[in-house]
Structure formats: structure tokens, C-alpha cells
Amino acid sequence: MRNGLRFGLLGPPVLYDADGAVVSIGSRKMRALLAALLLEPGRVVSVDVLKDALWGGAPPASAQASLQNHVTRLRRLLDDPERLRAVPPGYVLRVGEGELDVRVFERHATVARDAHAERDWERALRESTAALALWRGTPLSGLPPEIGGHAFVQRLEEARLLVLEWGYEAELCLDPTASRLDRLAPELAARTAEHPLRESFHRLLMLVLHRTGRQAEALAVHRDLRAR
């Protein structure tokens, strides 16, 4: 089934063709250009912002011509050259519904949040799983710091942690069997180690340990969190 062109920012910037195959974007500057345009999908990104994304605060004298060359090469990778248009004072990349993984992730996350609030655990787990499946790594990874997007990455990372929490809680409510709890314990322990100040992961880990009769370990987790 042909799904149409898709873009990815939940990891290194990536472009998928209509058959779902990854399209080779090319140089680091080409990836930076695509990412800078996808950070403002459907909106004009100025030439100055694009130059900063590609060269930081010190663009060469040839930056204008080089940027135009990069835009031309990027157009060749798209299913329709009109997707990327010159609109003063810069360029705009048309991104349709369901074509950017960030937007799809946020849509699943919103449904998961609402389902969690309504205690609809099956839907919360289904939507959480679908949202997390889109992640390939740290958003915008492999790009130079000049690309910016720090607040964008921080927002997405926080959203991912919330989706993880909703998914874990849904699993505990849907399948509180001993085998399932035993499998969740090391996973949640790893989350608490990775995010030592995130109380929700500690709470879920303590709950799992308590339900599996490991009260001493649950209390140790509580003491460690209080100490931190």
C-alpha cells in the first residue's frame, strides 16, 4: 500500500518515499535544511534562519547561492517540487496531514492523555504504544547545534515521558498478573535510574514491587527518592 511521502524528526531527520523506503538526504547541511523547514511545517522560514541553521552565525560569502543549490537538491527528493516554494522572505515546505511523525505522535499522545483521564485503559495503552513506536531516537539528533530547536526537543522529550507513564499505568490496570509485573520491574527500575527525580516512575516501580511481595525493595525505592 502506498502511503505517500512522510517526514521524520523523532530521531535523525529522515524522509520516506511513497513506498515507505528511506530516501537518502545526503550531506549534513541538507539534513539541517530539511529539519529547519520541518520545524515550521507549512510556514515561511526566512533565508536568514536557514543560513543560521546551515552555517551558524558565520555564513560564507557564497551562502546565498549555496542555500539555493541545497534547496534545488532537496526539491529533487520530494514527490512534488511545488512542496518547497520560495515565498519572501524565505521558503515554505508543505506538509500534509499525517506526513510528519511529530504531529502524528502528538495526536496519539492527546488521545492517550484523554483516555488515561477517563480510565479507558485499553485505549490509553493502544494510543501510548502507537505514539512511542514513532520514536527512532532523540529528536533532531545528528544535527549541528546551529539548527536550534532546543525547546522543541525538550517539549517532545517531556511528552514522551508522560506517554510512557500513561502506558505503564494502563498496563498495570489491564494486566496485573505476576508474570507481567515481573517483566515491568526491571524496565521501571531502568526508568528511575535514567530519571532519578521523576516521582511517577518511582511510584509505579514501588507499586510493582509491592504487588510482587517485594516490600523491602519498594521501601528502599521510597527512601532513595526521599534522599534525592
Side-chain angles (χ1 to χ4, degrees):
M1 178 179 177
R2 297 173 67 87
N3 297 314
L5 195 72
R6 291 181 296 117
F7 305 93
L9 289 181
L10 296 176
V14 69
L15 175 63
Y16 301 96
D17 67 16
D19 295 316
V22 175
V23 177
S24 177
I25 299 173
S27 69
R28 197 180 189 193
K29 281 187 168 50
M30 284 284 287
R31 295 194 299 273
L33 172 62
L34 176 62
L37 291 164
L38 288 174
L39 285 171
E40 298 288 345
R43 291 188 288 271
V44 177
V45 184
S46 72
V47 166
D48 289 340
V49 168
L50 294 175
K51 286 181 181 178
D52 283 344
L54 271 62
W55 293 283
S62 60
Q64 184 71 30
S66 182
L67 174 61
Q68 290 173 350
N69 287 335
H70 281 91
V71 167
T72 298
R73 288 199 290 272
L74 181 56
R75 281 197 180 110
R76 294 186 186 128
L77 301 178
L78 303 175
D79 56 348
D80 176 6
E82 287 301 309
R83 271 186 179 272
L84 178 52
R85 296 184 297 114
V87 179
Y91 295 89
V92 58
L93 178 63
R94 187 182 79 243
V95 179
E97 181 71 22
E99 292 180 343
L100 178 59
D101 61 358
V102 173
R103 288 177 167 176
V104 178
F105 166 79
E106 290 175 333
R107 185 168 66 244
H108 285 303
T110 298
V111 178
R113 179 199 62 200
D114 295 343
H116 178 269
E118 297 166 5
R119 305 178 73 82
D120 183 345
W121 302 122
E122 288 187 0
R123 186 159 60 107
L125 179 57
R126 182 173 63 250
E127 294 295 329
S128 296
T129 301
L132 295 170
L134 295 165
W135 283 68
R136 296 170 290 106
T138 302
L140 303 181
S141 57
L143 294 178
E146 290 83 4
I147 193 68
H150 178 72
F152 170 84
V153 173
Q154 292 294 103
R155 175 176 62 80
L156 285 174
E157 291 280 12
E158 174 61 24
R160 176 177 174 269
L161 292 176
L162 286 170
V163 171
L164 277 168
E165 293 170 15
W166 299 331
Y168 284 134
E169 191 161 353
E171 285 190 82
L172 287 173
C173 291
L174 283 171
D175 185 16
T177 59
S179 60
R180 179 62 185 143
L181 295 175
D182 286 338
R183 190 176 75 78
L184 274 178
E187 193 171 331
L188 283 166
R191 298 294 182 196
T192 59
E194 185 180 2
H195 305 281
L197 298 180
R198 199 165 188 94
E199 294 185 20
S200 55
F201 287 148
H202 288 78
R203 175 180 59 80
L204 290 166
L205 176 58
M206 286 187 285
L207 180 61
V208 167
L209 293 172
H210 175 74
R211 287 184 178 179
T212 53
R214 299 154 68 180
Q215 279 79 8
E217 292 178 63
L219 288 172
V221 171
H222 183 260
R223 285 195 299 270
D224 181 63
L225 178 60
R226 287 190 64 183
R228 290 180 186 276

